[in-house]
Amino acid sequence: MAADRDGRELIMWIVGLVLLALGVAGFFAAHGARARRHAMIAAETLPIAELEEHRSTLADLGGNGGFRKVCEVVGTAHPHPDGPLRAPQSGVECVWYRQTVAHKYTEHYRDSHGHWRRRERTDTVLDQTSHQGYALVDATGIIGVDPNGTAPDGPEKVHENFVPGGPERASGFAAVVQGFMGHGSDTLGMVYTEWVIRPGRPLYILGEVHDRIGPLVIGKPESSSDPFIVSTRSEDELRADAVGSQRWFAWGGAALAVVGLVLTVVDLLT
């Protein structure tokens, strides 16, 4: 009886600490959502022609390559001068793509009572994003976009295909041991998925505009405190989403932290 009670107290203590940790994580997530929303509110939305005027003025004063401006730019996606990309799996013409390959399988494992069970698992074996730059076009001009490996918000899913595979079968002594122990893994198949940004897709970008390579380019800000957002959604949609996320993480994190604190204190007092 004493051992069972000690076990329950240990579980309560561990659960309490986990909930406290989740509460703290919720607080930081809420802070991040709030910071993104405030960054969007603070940043100016500028036409490309106005940015080009600012750059030209600085260049006339001898500041070639020194232009920096954190702002928002809204326009439509345009391919790189070398031409559009082709998504590897679907062949869809695009300016950006991401492809993943996941391995789905079942495995045997022992539960807490020592019984063999079977569960389905998924492991990602490939997660690849294009790195080639593209452009953003508005009614006043064109600006380069350096994606810097950042996945855009809300890309279009153009391909998802499950290719079934046969079970992995051992042979010889391994097969005998596997049959006796009742464990191992069986392949169910591979899942191929792909997302793209097509040419002409409206985009909202919050980043740092610079002329380090000559022409204007918008990319990830040098300061880690400034966010880099590339989205197929509008600024209003992104702000509304940030408000909802901030509220959910704040209240959810607070609730988890309180429950975790109560469980931990109760365990310590008992």
Side-chain angles (χ1 to χ4, degrees):
M1 292 294 292
D4 290 341
R5 184 174 65 253
D6 290 342
R8 287 194 298 270
E9 290 176 353
L10 178 61
I11 292 174
M12 182 182 295
W13 182 72
I14 293 173
V15 170
L17 290 180
V18 170
L19 291 177
L20 275 172
L22 290 174
V24 173
F27 168 78
F28 282 108
H31 178 74
R34 179 176 179 271
R36 286 193 300 274
R37 182 169 67 89
H38 283 191
M40 287 185 280
I41 293 172
E44 294 181 277
T45 302
L46 297 176
I48 296 171
E50 184 174 335
L51 289 166
E52 185 60 45
E53 288 176 7
H54 294 327
R55 185 195 71 82
S56 297
T57 299
L58 184 62
D60 291 341
L61 297 174
N64 282 317
F67 179 73
R68 303 286 184 277
K69 176 69 174 177
V70 174
C71 64
E72 301 163 329
V73 181
V74 178
T76 57
H78 188 76
H80 188 274
D82 292 339
L85 298 172
R86 289 281 179 183
Q89 297 176 18
S90 63
V92 170
E93 189 175 276
C94 59
V95 301
W96 174 93
Y97 68 80
R98 177 191 175 201
Q99 64 166 336
T100 63
V101 180
H103 175 215
K104 296 190 71 172
Y105 61 96
T106 59
E107 68 174 10
H108 290 83
Y109 70 99
R110 284 188 184 274
D111 62 19
S112 58
H113 301 290
H115 301 138
W116 285 106
R117 305 289 185 186
R118 180 183 289 268
R119 61 187 172 192
E120 186 173 308
R121 301 290 298 271
T122 301
D123 290 341
T124 300
V125 297
L126 175 68
D127 190 342
Q128 182 188 48
T129 300
S130 65
H131 290 272
Q132 178 174 287
Y134 50 96
L136 192 72
V137 177
D138 69 5
T140 68
I142 184 169
I143 188 172
V145 179
D146 177 10
N148 195 36
T150 299
D153 166 68
E156 177 188 359
K157 182 189 284 189
V158 294
H159 181 75
E160 185 171 35
N161 185 33
F162 174 71
V163 179
E168 297 175 355
R169 299 195 179 278
S171 60
F173 177 73
V176 175
V177 173
Q178 200 172 67
F180 177 76
M181 297 293 291
H183 67 281
S185 64
D186 294 331
T187 294
L188 298 175
M190 309 295 285
V191 181
Y192 298 85
T193 313
E194 201 168 60
W195 299 262
V196 303
I197 298 294
R198 298 178 190 260
R201 177 80 187 213
L203 291 178
Y204 161 90
I205 302 181
L206 170 58
E208 184 175 83
V209 178
H210 63 82
D211 64 345
R212 284 192 292 267
I213 62 173
L216 286 180
V217 173
I218 186 168
K220 187 174 183 179
E222 289 186 343
S223 173
S224 59
S225 61
D226 293 324
F228 180 41
I229 301 173
V230 180
S231 180
T232 60
R233 295 187 287 173
S234 68
E235 180 180 357
D236 289 341
E237 290 174 314
L238 290 170
R239 285 194 197 181
D241 181 69
V243 170
S245 297
Q246 179 186 347
R247 186 176 296 122
W248 191 92
F249 283 125
W251 286 103
L256 290 173
V258 168
V259 174
L261 182 62
V262 169
L263 289 177
T264 304
V265 170
V266 168
D267 177 66
L268 291 174
L269 292 177
T270 56

